[in-house]
């Protein structure tokens, strides 16, 4: 745990495809000043074999807890996605 007692946060944005995830990841530095590159993760649903049907996750580390979850959710919604609830 950090010395100041704050816990690092992690935000997970769920997007419908890789292109949307890459676009959202590219928007994060400009809109939110995110310095650390977000992690892109393919999230296939159980039983799915086709990579095209997989959702993509954009994982954003927020060590200072300064990112606004509602603003992140709005960004994800612009790309037909959402912010996963903690």
């Amino acid at each position: 745990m950090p010395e100041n007692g704050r816990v690092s946060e992690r935000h997970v944005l769920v997007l419908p495809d890789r292109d949307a995830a890459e676009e959202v990841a590219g928007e994060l530095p400009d809109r939110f000043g995110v310095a650390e590159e977000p992690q892109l993760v393919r999230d296939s649903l159980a039983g799915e074999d086709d990579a095209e049907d997989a959702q993509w996750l954009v994982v954003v580390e927020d060590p200072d807890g300064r990112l606004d979850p509602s603003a992140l959710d709005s960004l994800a919604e612009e790309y037909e996605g959402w912010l996963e609830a903690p």
Side-chain angles (χ1 to χ4, degrees):
M1 183 177 286
E3 285 182 31
N4 63 3
R6 295 188 72 174
V7 176
S8 177
E9 291 186 40
R10 174 178 290 156
H11 305 281
V12 179
L13 290 80
V14 182
L15 287 303
D17 56 44
R18 183 181 186 135
D19 289 340
E22 288 176 345
E23 288 184 39
V24 166
E27 290 276 337
L28 289 167
D30 293 336
R31 284 195 179 183
F32 299 97
V34 173
E36 186 176 324
E37 187 170 336
Q39 189 178 12
L40 299 180
V41 179
R42 180 178 168 264
D43 183 38
S44 60
L45 301 174
E48 285 189 12
D49 294 327
D50 187 0
E52 295 300 317
D53 292 334
Q55 294 176 325
W56 282 79
L57 308 178
V58 177
V59 180
V60 183
E61 297 297 334
D62 185 13
D64 299 323
R66 65 177 188 78
L67 297 176
D68 177 10
S70 62
L72 290 171
D73 190 44
S74 293
L75 173 61
E77 285 177 0
E78 290 176 30
Y79 294 89
E80 300 180 15
W82 66 88
L83 176 66
E84 190 70 22

